[in-house]
Amino acid sequence: QKEVEQNSGPLSVPEGAIASLNCTYSDRGSQSFFWYRQYSGKSPELIMFIYSNGDKEDGRFTAQLNKASQYVSLLIRDSQPSDSATYLCAVNRGFKTIFGAGTRLFVKA
Amino acid sequence: ETGVTQTPRHLVMGMTNKKSLKCEQHLGHNAMYWYKQSAKKPLELMFVYNFKEQTENNSVPSRFSPECPNSSHLFLHLHTLQPEDSALYLCASSQDEGSYEQYFGPGTRLTVT
């Protein structure tokens, strides 16, 4: 079992729709959870982090964490073509951050 | 300059060459990281330095040799590389090692011929 699992996609949504990206992790002791966006040919860029169960909203982005079920998700409202990228889920365990392989999102204009 | 910078941005080297990658962070962070990103694979953590001390070596072959002279600079010395080492090498920094968000540099695209 991979430590951090994401559906590789591509996830295709029409412009203006909600994109839902999911991530599961194996270590129950994980404490911090991050979402990074990576455009093709570019480096990852942090867009959200969450530490506590529940929802955290920042503009069009909402991160959701459920530690009991060991999943974290990212919702993107009013998706735009500029949101087309690979989204990396990262989970911190102690002093180590483990990255998922990423989900490729494509927003159709 | 701001953020995390890396040089060179692109590097082509032969298997017998020796080269170095450089990373510099202007964020006042204490922890720096080297990652390898190959096509369709997760980011692979290679090395971690916290306050200039190496705290993680993720079973990286000895042909990769890191150096951290101070909290702002990180090097990755390369020698006798293999074609499978071709990848994007990313440097990142964070406030401290642990549960902190990381900020990435633009990466060095390495091709080993």
Side-chain angles (χ1 to χ4, degrees):
Chain A
Q1 181 188 11
K2 294 179 186 175
E3 293 183 85
V4 178
E5 291 208 55
Q6 296 182 255
N7 188 321
S8 62
L11 173 66
S12 184
V13 300
E15 184 175 359
I18 296 176
S20 177
L21 304 161
N22 299 311
C23 171
T24 58
Y25 59 94
S26 60
D27 189 337
R28 285 194 172 276
S30 300
Q31 300 166 303
S32 310
F33 307 86
F34 306 89
W35 283 100
Y36 290 82
R37 177 177 62 201
Q38 187 173 23
Y39 291 114
S40 180
K42 302 292 185 183
S43 58
E45 171 194 16
L46 179 73
I47 53 173
M48 288 285 287
F49 61 87
I50 186 167
Y51 301 140
S52 306
N53 274 331
D55 295 0
K56 180 181 178 182
E57 188 174 318
D58 184 2
R60 295 186 297 112
F61 299 99
T62 298
Q64 299 175 316
L65 175 62
N66 184 324
K67 289 187 178 181
S69 300
Q70 294 175 242
Y71 85 79
V72 56
S73 62
L74 179 70
L75 301 178
I76 307 175
R77 288 182 300 281
D78 188 24
S79 296
Q80 302 297 308
S82 58
D83 294 326
S84 298
T86 296
Y87 289 80
L88 307 177
C89 172
V91 175
N92 178 268
R93 171 170 59 88
F95 289 106
K96 193 177 224 179
T97 299
I98 309 296
F99 284 81
T103 297
R104 202 153 51 92
L105 173 67
F106 179 59
V107 181
K108 298 176 290 185
Chain B
E1 287 201 68
T2 59
V4 182
T5 58
Q6 289 186 244
T7 54
R9 296 292 305 277
H10 300 272
L11 178 62
V12 179
M13 59 186 289
M15 292 168 60
T16 58
N17 290 159
K18 287 185 181 180
K19 296 286 184 183
S20 295
L21 310 184
K22 179 183 175 182
C23 175
E24 185 173 359
Q25 59 96 0
H26 308 266
L27 300 169
H29 289 166
N30 298 313
M32 296 187 77
Y33 310 77
W34 278 118
Y35 287 92
K36 175 184 178 183
Q37 189 174 40
S38 304
K40 298 186 179 179
K41 285 188 174 182
L43 278 171
E44 298 174 50
L45 178 66
M46 300 175 72
F47 302 103
V48 182
Y49 279 82
N50 199 34
F51 291 96
K52 303 189 302 177
E53 299 298 321
Q54 186 180 122
T55 57
E56 181 83 28
N57 177 337
N58 204 23
S59 303
V60 180
S62 60
R63 57 185 184 269
F64 295 91
S65 174
E67 178 190 359
C68 187
N70 55 61
S71 293
S72 300
H73 294 86
L74 185 64
F75 295 90
L76 187 63
H77 303 300
L78 316 171
H79 65 96
T80 330
L81 293 193
Q82 305 298 310
E84 59 264 28
D85 296 323
S86 299
L88 180 67
Y89 288 84
L90 290 161
C91 174
S93 71
S94 65
Q95 185 58 54
D96 285 297
E97 189 181 14
S99 305
Y100 296 94
E101 58 271 28
Q102 296 179 23
Y103 295 86
F104 286 84
T108 295
R109 174 69 62 185
L110 174 67
T111 302
V112 181
T113 60

